[in-house]
Amino acid sequence: MTESRFSTTREPGKPRTSRATRGGRASRAREGDKRERILRAATRVFARKGFYATKVSEVAKAAGVADGTIYLYFKNKDDLLVSLFEDRIMLLLAALERALAERPTPEERLRCVIEMQLGLLEGERDLAEVITVNLRQSTRLMKQYAAPKFMLYLDAIARVVAEGQKAGAFRTDVSPHLMARTIFGALDGIIMTWALGKAEPGGLSRASTQVADVLLAGLLAKKER
Amino acid sequence: MTESRFSTTREPGKPRTSRATRGGRASRAREGDKRERILRAATRVFARKGFYATKVSEVAKAAGVADGTIYLYFKNKDDLLVSLFEDRIMLLLAALERALAERPTPEERLRCVIEMQLGLLEGERDLAEVITVNLRQSTRLMKQYAAPKFMLYLDAIARVVAEGQKAGAFRTDVSPHLMARTIFGALDGIIMTWALGKAEPGGLSRASTQVADVLLAGLLAKKER
Amino acid sequence: MTESRFSTTREPGKPRTSRATRGGRASRAREGDKRERILRAATRVFARKGFYATKVSEVAKAAGVADGTIYLYFKNKDDLLVSLFEDRIMLLLAALERALAERPTPEERLRCVIEMQLGLLEGERDLAEVITVNLRQSTRLMKQYAAPKFMLYLDAIARVVAEGQKAGAFRTDVSPHLMARTIFGALDGIIMTWALGKAEPGGLSRASTQVADVLLAGLLAKKER
Amino acid sequence: MTESRFSTTREPGKPRTSRATRGGRASRAREGDKRERILRAATRVFARKGFYATKVSEVAKAAGVADGTIYLYFKNKDDLLVSLFEDRIMLLLAALERALAERPTPEERLRCVIEMQLGLLEGERDLAEVITVNLRQSTRLMKQYAAPKFMLYLDAIARVVAEGQKAGAFRTDVSPHLMARTIFGALDGIIMTWALGKAEPGGLSRASTQVADVLLAGLLAKKER
DNA sequence: CATGAATGAGACTTCATTCAT
DNA sequence: TATGAATGAAGTCTCATTCAT
């Protein structure tokens, strides 16, 4: 459900060597989504077994393709994880931007950030687990590849905080970037313990509200002083 | 330096297969700490390369022992990570309890929690990286083994929150356990981005203060209402 | 340049599955030489990377055809090498026979053999490398397929020696076939070290002369005795 | 038989990480030759199946070691071939130098070169096949690694020619290095066709004599002129 | 207790070949 | 005929673990 909000913006996932199909032949029904199918399968399997414990052949089987096909769309197993993360974080970012467009006040905007990130969980526990747990399986991967896109997301949160400060709604004695990390981390921590333990399906919207309440209360400018 | 605050409370780490020392060989002065040496080496290497990218032989070399020696003290490579995590989190917990003993008011106690966890960074970047990054290296490991000890730590934080609520200092419309995860996650997120990027050594105490300010402000009971 | 001396004598290389050209599509002007284009591309690529290190797709790209097209003209990758070798050695043989036709005396004829084989180098380093190096890529291939054609070439050399013996020009206490191998090997060795090292472009005609001088001097009947 | 002439001069083939055995314990009977055992097995298998068609596991099995053991002594499969070649060519070179020490006259010395190289065959058909055929399986390997040692061998031959020239025994209008390649190539060609075809066991000493006769006759200074 | 050479199961990845279009 | 995306068999190499010394 949640993911349905994210329309795939990437190129149609043709193998690297592919050129445009000759002529206008709109052939092969749902063919172009093979890359997407692989990513989705990887999400599922990585979530259940962990990145390192997952064999490429398992992802292939889950995706319904041959082992070798994976390598037509991804450089290697690492690239699969990084691509997964990059794709998803960009989708999340896009969805966030879209949602923010309709929220004018700083408070609403911050709640929106929190709801969006936690909202990922409702429909996509696998994706949540991959992003919060598996992503960190390789410090190297994170540092070299995923970090840039990740920073874009953090920046978006920081911007919401900074705007709120400029608007006079949030206290100005804290760094927006530090707050972005704090907020992201808080939500990530909740997701992680949730992924580690058993899901309390109902509890997430409640959690969302409580965390938002506390963080907002902590951030609001103390006008009364 | 920070670690020096943690005195090893564990049993002297005798190899499981320990038999009576052969003869009167009082040969090895600081021998009993071999387990500790291995753990310390593992901390260092895991932090730099990640658990999965680290070879057992690399840990052995870093510890100055033979490969096989690792297996006299740990069941297998997984056990090494789990033991490492458990040992360290217990040390952190013990240090936290000790520190809390001297802080009477809820505000001070919460600040203490934050300072302790972030404080780990100042002197022990490696340990911090292992706990925040490697903790998530293996979903399976975490779920099966490390989680219980980890929950003890979360519980300690939750207790601080709950006590504050009971004392009337903190708002009571939030779950202490959810707050514990929020607080842990926030700090964890800061540490992670810090570990991912470049260290801003001075910035941590400032970060500590800012995060504590915001979280405390968010948690304090709104007496004025 | 050298190759221009070899006119293609093979049948026009129709794909095995060739059917009548569809309709009146006189589309492809120089189409029939596709087999030749592939062989030429293979020569180039095999020479640079070696047979086993060369991917079929690389040959295809170098030939400007699709991967699958290779298999319309050759049974498999092995067949490509064997065909290449056979084609080329037969061209060399034909050219040799043609050249020999104009050389009456035994000495001239032997010099002709040497010049032809070394002459291949001047204009066709790739072909030279394929024949001297790649020829030995697969013992199995050589033994099963290429050897017969190769023996034809050796026989031609042996015949030149035998004729010289019969004419009383060459010593008769040596086996013509052994001499053929000796001569071929000597030239092959020169080409190989030349291909291994740096090319001394001018040096080949000089080398050719020197080798011919020595071999001829060694082979000439010792009339004075 | 031939190989027995070559005493292994290499270090006792300990794995790369090995240090000298503690104490003077001359333990493990014929243990140090594991590297040699692998090389010998590789020679055998490469000769029969070719380098590329041979699986590392086949070499391991033939050597009576585990697959992984190969990698304790050799960097990779390529290194196995290169090491094989380097080891053997150096042994051949050493044996040649030793044999030359007892041959004073230029004619004897040249015959010695020829006999040594062809003599390798009598007892070591496998080695001969590997050196003449398999070595050329990889242009890259040859160019990058094996060439230097190979050049040492060629230099030794060239030296014999040059000395003969200086002594006034050989004609001086030919390049010693070119002659070295010619001689090596001639012998190599004989060995190759011999390896490709069926062995004519008796024929080699006869071949050796004939080739030596021709090459010597071709090289001798023409005093009578 | 300690060592480290040896093991061997198993993963990742390549690439020759096929076949639907 | 031609294409090139897809296949999947199979090989190289790694590395956790063992065990004789």
Side-chain angles (χ1 to χ4, degrees), chain C residues 53-71:
Chain C
T54 298
K55 290 173 252 187
V56 171
S57 64
E58 290 173 332
V59 175
K61 188 194 290 188
V65 301
D67 295 15
T69 304
I70 303 271
Y71 292 86

Side-chain angles (χ1 to χ4, degrees), chain A residues 46-47 49-50 52-53 125 129 132-134 136-139 142-143 147 150-151 154 171 173-175 178-179 181-182 184-186 188-190 192-196 200 206-207 210-211 213-215 217-219 222 224, chain B residues 46-47 49-53 125 129 132-133 135-139 142-143 150-151 154 171 173-175 178-179 181-182 184-186 188-190 192-196 200 206-207 210-211 213-215 217-219 222 224:
Chain A
F46 287 169
K49 309 196 46 171
Y52 283 99
R125 174 171 181 158
E129 183 149 350
T132 57
V133 177
N134 284 279
R136 312 203 186 177
Q137 300 237 335
S138 168
T139 317
M142 274 300 293
K143 288 187 182 171
F150 176 56
M151 290 306 166
L154 281 187
R171 59 196 293 174
D173 59 345
V174 294
S175 151
L178 181 64
M179 280 308 109
R181 299 183 212 175
T182 303
F184 173 85
D188 193 52
I190 290 170
M192 187 192 69
T193 49
W194 176 84
L196 280 181
E200 331 152 24
R206 197 158 28 90
Q210 290 189 11
V211 174
D213 285 349
V214 169
L215 287 175
L219 273 175
K222 297 159 191 168
E224 59 273 22
Chain B
F46 287 170
K49 310 194 49 171
F51 175 70
Y52 282 99
R125 174 169 183 161
E129 186 149 348
T132 58
V133 177
L135 168 60
R136 319 199 184 185
Q137 294 274 326
S138 166
T139 316
M142 275 305 296
K143 288 183 183 174
F150 176 56
M151 290 307 167
L154 281 187
R171 58 197 293 175
D173 59 346
V174 293
S175 152
L178 181 62
M179 281 308 109
R181 298 184 213 176
T182 302
F184 173 85
D188 190 52
I190 291 170
M192 188 193 69
T193 49
W194 178 84
L196 279 182
E200 333 152 22
R206 196 158 27 92
Q210 289 188 14
V211 174
D213 286 349
V214 169
L215 287 175
L219 274 175
K222 297 161 191 166
E224 59 272 23

Side-chain angles (χ1 to χ4, degrees), chain A residues 196-198, chain B residues 82 85-86 89-90 93 135 139-156 159:
Chain A
L196 280 181
K198 282 134 278 278
Chain B
V82 172
F85 178 72
E86 288 187 349
I89 205 94
M90 291 313 281
L93 182 56
L135 168 60
T139 316
R140 181 178 47 81
L141 285 190
M142 275 305 296
K143 288 183 183 174
Q144 296 191 345
Y145 304 103
K149 297 277 166 81
F150 176 56
M151 290 307 167
L152 288 182
Y153 182 66
L154 281 187
D155 284 347
R159 226 174 301 128

